[in-house]
Amino acid sequence: MKTISPLQEERLKYQPKLPDSLSKGINNLELETGSATEAAGDKEQIKELFAKTYGNPVVTFKTTGNSKSSPVKNVGVILSGGQAPGGHNVIAGLFDALKQANKENKLYGFLGGPSGIIDGKYVEITKDFIDKYRNTGGFDIIGSGRTKLETEEQFKKSLEVCKKLNISAVVIIGGDDSNTNAALLAEWFVKNDAGIQVIGCPKTIDGDLKNEQIETSFGFDTATKTYAELIGNIQRDANSAKKYWHFIKIMGRSASHVALEAALQTQPNIVLISEEVEAKKMSLEQIVNSMCDVIVKRASMGKNFGIVIVPEGLIEFIPEMKTMISNLNDIMHDLEADTAYSNATSTRERFEIVADRLDDSNEKVFSSLPALIKSQLLMDRDPHGNVQVSRIETEKLLIEMIRTRLSELKQQGEYIGKFSDQAHFFGYEGRCAFPSNFDADYCYSLGFNAFALINFGLTGYLSCVKNLVKPASEWVAGGVPLTMMMNMEKRHGEMKPVIKKALIKLDGAVFKELEEHRDDWAMNDRYLFPGAIQYFGPSSVCDITTVTLQLENK
Ligand code: FBP
């Protein structure tokens, strides 16, 4: 019996590429320092909250001929939040750099996400251990979790655990929320003279942890390619059978980067973009009507089939829904403590209690929704207070409303087609795929670079590798202060410092590319079939980056 697949066997042998500036060795680096930085917003408040780590410069690494020796250092690593392809390679890069710097160095992996450092659950990562995970997808090497590291008590416990293991640096691999935690922990360690550095790594398939310094988060490349493969396959099926409208919800908690990228790789008939819906203040009814326009026109051409891409976070961007969900989030905390609500024996009873507590206009919106969606909106929030949009079946809500609207149009003699639907959700399928060559190289470089930042004594930085549309040898490695990406936002009803999420820019090149072509794609089937990610073969197929990265860095 085989214990690993043939592909995994081959991928274990892949040696990820490093930028030239890092490839000469971890002990042959020189640090170049830029000028002082400012927060992305609410500068004074962020400066006050991060008095010890605020304003540090952006740094880059350069190779030097002089080899230095590195003192012994133990490092801890945490995988935080949702899985993203390439996480294992970040740890592999970190491990290799750490051992290259000094063979006595040790790497500890905290188990199950941030809770591992609080509860002292860890494993020592050795060569034999890491070698089994090189170039594989998933976070199963040490597991992940969504515990929010933010209280004094958690920080104190983390310090105790680090002291016990003689750890002098912690690497947190996570998205915007997790790196906000990294910034808080870094500040606390400095304030308390703990002598422990904290470095973040930009992870999330959602692609919304990016800014002028961070070109993309890792995992976005592989996840979007995986979804594009699946969408392409469905397009072939739809175009063969010509009998279904496929509604495909695509993961991405808030921003629509994943849906947009997958659409640019596949050219479906309809793509909804949450940021556009919000900017145009489109109601749910308007969205449904605009989709029905396409369905009706295609039916008049004899095409009773098509592909619709729906971004996972759409519901929170529809103005009336956004207001209602925000009202719902505010009352959820009280509801959990309310015995009438927790003892309610039927969902109908719960809906009534909720409707009673909501403001009038929000009550109307809530009550107009199908029971399925109402129940999903009432599910537990994530530890950051967010609605778990991956559990809300927006694609089914749209289908139901479209069916109703089409039957009205049929009665009015304005629709002559037949509407048969299929609903899909592509999310978890893409988060643990074998990392593409791009993600394998990028992640390895991010991890290697994270240790370089540690070796130079930096803290409160995000590992940063830029110039990503160029071959890996030309990538530029360095670090960006976490405070530079922060502003104040409302969370759980309170203003908190957070890393600013990057939403789709409606005047940016990526959205404009969609805008230019979508009317054509709606009527004339211009489907593209990207096929599976290729790991071996011509570079024109194996090493291409996302359309988003290419257009944003033209
Ligand atoms: P991160 O931001 O932590 O990377 O997670 C993103 C994500 O994959 C979203 O796209 C999705 O909405 C969410 O995680 C799902 O969370 P969970 O894994 O807890 O179901």
Side-chain angles (χ1 to χ4, degrees), residues 228-397:
E229 179 206 350
L230 299 174
I231 296 165
N233 295 350
I234 287 186
Q235 292 186 152
R236 273 273 198 234
D237 197 291
N239 206 23
S240 308
K242 302 195 190 301
K243 64 175 180 185
Y244 292 127
W245 270 93
H246 292 269
F247 287 71
I248 309 171
K249 183 175 80 168
I250 304 279
M251 206 173 234
R253 232 215 74 75
S254 189
S256 311
H257 300 293
V258 182
L260 178 54
E261 172 65 27
L264 292 173
Q265 287 186 32
T266 54
Q267 305 183 177
N269 303 104
I270 301 177
V271 191
L272 299 176
I273 298 295
S274 308
E275 290 84 341
E276 184 183 25
V277 164
E278 184 171 48
K280 291 187 173 164
K281 298 188 173 49
M282 289 175 82
S283 65
L284 190 52
E285 196 184 343
Q286 283 169 322
I287 298 170
V288 167
N289 286 347
S290 73
M291 293 168 91
C292 284
D293 279 352
V294 176
I295 296 170
V296 168
K297 275 191 205 137
R298 283 180 65 89
S300 70
M301 295 159 76
K303 295 180 182 182
N304 286 304
F305 67 94
I307 308 293
V308 180
I309 305 279
V310 180
E312 184 186 66
L314 177 73
I315 197 144
E316 286 191 303
F317 283 75
I318 303 170
E320 77 253 28
M321 291 287 178
K322 186 178 178 174
T323 318
M324 186 269 288
I325 291 172
S326 155
N327 192 181
L328 204 52
N329 287 348
D330 290 344
I331 65 167
M332 272 322 266
H333 191 68
D334 296 342
L335 276 177
E336 275 151 23
D338 183 323
T339 44
Y341 183 76
S342 46
N343 293 339
T345 47
S346 69
T347 44
R348 221 178 103 199
E349 222 178 300
R350 285 193 168 195
F351 295 161
E352 277 165 15
I353 297 174
V354 170
D356 232 32
R357 298 277 179 92
L358 287 169
D359 300 344
D360 282 356
S361 56
N362 295 325
E363 183 275 316
K364 277 197 195 85
V365 177
F366 181 76
S367 301
S368 71
L369 296 170
L372 176 79
I373 304 294
K374 278 195 237 175
S375 307
Q376 290 167 350
L377 280 169
L378 296 182
M379 283 175 183
D380 292 343
R381 271 44 187 162
D382 74 10
H384 302 275
N386 304 315
V387 170
Q388 299 193 54
V389 277
S390 64
R391 303 177 75 178
I392 300 177
E393 293 174 292
T394 323
E395 69 286 16
K396 293 196 176 153
L397 172 66

Side-chain angles (χ1 to χ4, degrees), residues 204-223:
T204 178
I205 63 154
D206 294 1
D208 56 4
L209 175 47
K210 64 177 169 184
N211 46 53
E212 277 176 18
Q213 305 295 332
I214 304 296
E215 293 176 6
T216 188
S217 53
F218 79 76
F220 178 72
D221 187 90
T222 311

Side-chain angles (χ1 to χ4, degrees), residues 465-499:
V465 175
K466 302 200 278 196
N467 212 21
L468 298 171
V469 285
K470 293 280 162 46
S473 57
E474 293 172 42
W475 291 354
V476 177
V480 188
L482 286 160
T483 53
M484 191 184 176
M485 304 171 198
M486 300 183 95
N487 67 169
M488 301 295 291
E489 285 175 26
K490 200 172 173 192
R491 296 287 161 93
H492 288 295
E494 248 182 84
M495 291 307 281
K496 297 240 168 152
V498 293
I499 290 183

